[in-house]
């Protein structure tokens, strides 16, 4: 049987049911939750998130809960087990175990995202397991930067990502989150959200109840934060897939100089730009002003050579956006360098004189505007000679990037003013 987390041998499959070895506390919780005398409306509702409980069986002196087999009826299931909560220890744990749990939290996403992956089993469309399987050994645990890659694996079948299952996982997790936000009956520690993705169907369940306590009227914020992070990561996967499936929106620059790769972008550059990026993102940089300047710049990951040309690997500024409109403004009345050839300098001076560069100190290099349905509107890309915006109409192009149908996004105008002022102050 596929097992992503838990103790090896603690699960025994029996068709549509499974025997899970449990301690006294977990067995008591199952008996409480599925008691015919239960009247708490919140806990009655909670049953739908939990594997159905059928009773207990003793095997070789150990108690096994008989519960629903969540993999029954699935064709080639991929599974993901995520332990939720920044705090996975309780006052009942001995000091040694508490210390181990705290150390594990610090080296995993438990401390940063409020959950960690306990285990994963990912299969392709033929049932072949790929990538890391099971638990993660110490020092190999996913980080906040790459944990989404493991989420993506369980919904990937060959070259196809099961977007419909991602949407279901988001809805399912949101439903569990909504329940936790309203309930004041119980506090859960070391519980997990269990995702199952088959070829045709999927489900999300809440499992593992060894440490459940009365809430005393307080919200279970420990679990709530973890569930919110799970939804965030699934949305990140969704945004990444959508970004990869859509053509790159490019307002200016040389055609083909930008290559999207999910949340990153490859930009073809020459040596001086590489030199600057290496300087700006050097771990030995000490200039406080340049360290502050980093926040205005796409994050830099390094250099990659493609077809004999150098490409910097930088943050994809359009990643995660739906129907982005973009505006590229080159700033400075003087855009030519002393070392430029006379011909190049003259061409740049002529561009400056016939555009807003000579009067306003900037010119629009390119623009791409979309309406609320994603349809491109108005002039797109660069401007041909003598069609460049001038002082009297350049504001109309600015307005286009914040217009969706009949609505102007005033909140974005305010943000652009604040952002540009912050850059100016620097």
């Amino acid at each position: 049987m596929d097992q992503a987390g838990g103790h090896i041998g603690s699960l025994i499959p029996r068709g549509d049911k499974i025997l899970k070895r449990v301690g006294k506390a977990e067995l008591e919780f199952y008996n409480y939750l599925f008691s015919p005398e239960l009247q708490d409306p919140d806990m009655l509702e909670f049953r739908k998130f939990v594997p159905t409980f059928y009773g207990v069986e003793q095997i070789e002196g150990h108690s096994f809960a008989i519960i629903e087999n969540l993999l029954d009826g699935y064709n080639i299931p991929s599974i993901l087990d995520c332990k939720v909560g920044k705090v996975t220890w309780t006052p009942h744990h001995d000091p040694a175990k508490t210390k181990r749990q705290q150390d594990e939290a610090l080296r995993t996403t438990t401390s940063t995202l409020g959950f960690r992956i306990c285990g994963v089993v990912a299969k392709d469309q033929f049932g072949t397991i790929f990538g890391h399987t099971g638990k993660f050994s110490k020092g190999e645990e996913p980080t906040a930067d790459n944990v989404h890659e493991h989420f993506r694996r369980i919904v990937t079948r060959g070259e196809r990502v099961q977007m419909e299952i991602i949407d279901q996982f988001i809805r399912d997790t949101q439903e569990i989150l909504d329940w936790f936000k309203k309930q004041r009956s119980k506090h859960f520690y070391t519980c997990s959200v269990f995702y199952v993705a088959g070829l045709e169907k999927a489900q999300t369940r809440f499992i593992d109840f060894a440490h459940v306590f009365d809430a005393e009227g307080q919200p279970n914020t420990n679990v709530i934060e973890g569930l919110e992070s799970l939804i965030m990561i699934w949305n990140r996967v969704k945004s990444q897939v959508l970004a990869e499936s859509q053509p790159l929106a490019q307002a200016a620059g040389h055609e083909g100089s930008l290559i999207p790769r999910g949340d990153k972008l490859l930009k073809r550059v020459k040596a001086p730009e590489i030199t600057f990026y290496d300087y700006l993102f050097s771990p030995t940089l000490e200039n406080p002003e340049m360290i502050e300047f980093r926040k205005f710049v796409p994050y830099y990951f390094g250099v990659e050579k493609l077809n004999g040309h150098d490409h910097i690997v930088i943050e994809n500024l359009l990643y995660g956006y739906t129907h982005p409109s973009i505006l590229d403004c080159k700033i400075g009345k003087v855009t030519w360098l002393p070392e430029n050839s006379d011909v190049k300098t003259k061409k740049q001076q002529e561009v400056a004189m016939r555009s807003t560069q000579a009067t306003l100190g900037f010119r629009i290099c390119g623009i791409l505007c979309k309406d609320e349905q994603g349809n491109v509107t108005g002039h797109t890309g660069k401007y041909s000679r003598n069609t460049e915006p001038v002082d009297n109409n350049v504001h109309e192009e600015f307005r286009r990037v914040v217009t969706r149908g009949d609505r102007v996004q005033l909140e974005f105008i305010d943000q652009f003013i604040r952002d540009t002022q912050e850059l100016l102050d620097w």
Side-chain angles (χ1 to χ4, degrees), residues 5 36 105 114 169 192 210 230 233 319 369 406 414:
F169 285 159
S192 289
L230 288 172
I233 296 299
Y319 175 75
C369 299
D406 295 330
D414 288 337

Side-chain angles (χ1 to χ4, degrees), residues 243-394:
E244 292 170 357
S245 64
Q246 297 174 358
L248 177 70
Q250 186 171 347
H254 300 290
E255 196 69 33
S257 62
L258 303 178
I259 303 171
R261 281 190 183 171
D263 59 353
K264 298 180 179 62
L265 187 73
L266 274 65
K267 177 188 176 187
R268 183 173 170 178
V269 296
K270 295 182 178 179
E273 191 160 3
I274 295 175
T275 300
F276 178 75
Y277 267 106
D278 283 339
Y279 157 75
L280 184 63
F281 286 90
S282 169
T284 59
L285 180 65
E286 295 182 350
N287 185 320
E289 291 180 346
M290 297 311 297
I291 289 173
E292 183 186 3
F293 183 65
R294 287 174 176 167
K295 67 182 178 183
F296 302 118
V297 177
Y299 192 85
Y300 174 62
F301 298 95
V303 179
E304 186 172 323
K305 190 173 286 289
L306 289 177
N307 301 320
H309 300 290
D310 288 326
H311 291 70
I312 55 173
V313 184
I314 56 175
E315 176 186 3
N316 183 354
L317 299 179
L318 303 188
Y319 175 75
Y321 281 79
T322 303
H323 308 322
S325 293
I326 54 181
L327 179 68
D328 183 338
C329 298
K330 187 178 295 291
I331 53 175
K333 285 190 174 182
V334 176
T335 58
W336 51 91
L337 301 173
E339 60 265 29
N340 283 356
S341 66
D342 292 342
V343 173
K344 186 173 183 179
T345 296
K346 188 170 189 302
K347 284 198 300 186
Q348 291 190 338
Q349 290 172 337
E350 289 174 350
V351 171
M353 293 303 297
R354 67 172 185 261
S355 69
T356 56
Q357 187 176 327
T359 53
L360 299 177
F362 78 87
R363 72 171 187 269
I364 297 178
C365 287
I367 187 171
L368 180 63
C369 299
K370 297 181 181 180
D371 63 19
E372 60 268 42
Q373 281 80 44
N375 301 309
V376 175
T377 62
H379 175 87
T380 298
K382 299 179 182 181
Y383 296 88
S384 57
R385 186 169 183 172
N386 297 324
T387 66
E388 301 97 336
V390 295
D391 294 14
N392 294 334
N393 65 16
V394 68

Side-chain angles (χ1 to χ4, degrees), residues 8 31 49 63 65 81 140 165 198 242 286 313 342 348 377 397 406 411 424:
I8 297 299
N31 280 318
F49 303 123
S63 295
D81 183 336
E140 295 182 352
I165 291 182
L242 289 174
E286 295 182 350
V313 184
D342 292 342
Q348 291 190 338
T377 62
E397 302 298 276
D406 295 330
E411 69 278 12
L424 173 62

